[in-house]
Amino acid sequence: LDDAARGIRRSPARDVVAERALDALERFAPGCVAAQILVVRGATAITWRGFHRHARTQADIAVPLDQDGLVPRVIGGAGALRRPVDELGPIDHRLLVALGGADEDLAIVPIAIADQVICALAVAAAPDADLGGAAAIATAAGAAIARLMRAARR
């Protein structure tokens, strides 16, 4: 995981950051059934990239940030959140289904630059699955995107 995080931080482009982050999540979080990176665009978080262990395609997702749910709370600075399917509100449940989940937990992990959440990992995970590596992956992705943004300004 440390080598994967280092590879994410050293990514030469944003799309490579996303690919490496999702690859690391797939490799180091076996309880993760599916994941999407959601990018904040105004009052909505939209799909950037994703994977599903058992499906070739995934739905395009748009999550409203002006309504109650895990994604708006994480984007607002609440830190990572995780809930079992029976505790999800309507929007969160739709997000889980769009990810390709059914009975899994929904976890949202922030990807931030400094204190500003710019993206989030939306993860459908088996109940009680360890997602400890997701925080390290998200931190590495945030550092990589920040580095790429600084380089673009030069």
Side-chain angles (χ1 to χ4, degrees), residues 106-134:
L106 177 64
I108 309 297
V109 182
I111 297 174
I113 296 175
D115 293 332
Q116 180 71 38
V117 179
I118 58 165
C119 303
L121 288 173
V123 179
D128 301 322
D130 180 13
L131 294 178

Side-chain angles (χ1 to χ4, degrees), residues 69-146:
L70 297 179
V71 174
R73 282 189 246 150
V74 169
I75 299 297
L81 296 173
R82 180 176 179 166
R83 298 288 183 273
V85 67
D86 60 345
E87 292 180 19
L88 296 177
I91 291 175
D92 293 329
H93 190 266
R94 286 187 206 145
L95 173 57
L96 178 64
V97 170
L99 285 170
D103 297 326
E104 290 81 13
D105 291 355
L106 177 64
I108 309 297
V109 182
I111 297 174
I113 296 175
D115 293 332
Q116 180 71 38
V117 179
I118 58 165
C119 303
L121 288 173
V123 179
D128 301 322
D130 180 13
L131 294 178
I137 291 164
T139 299
I145 294 169

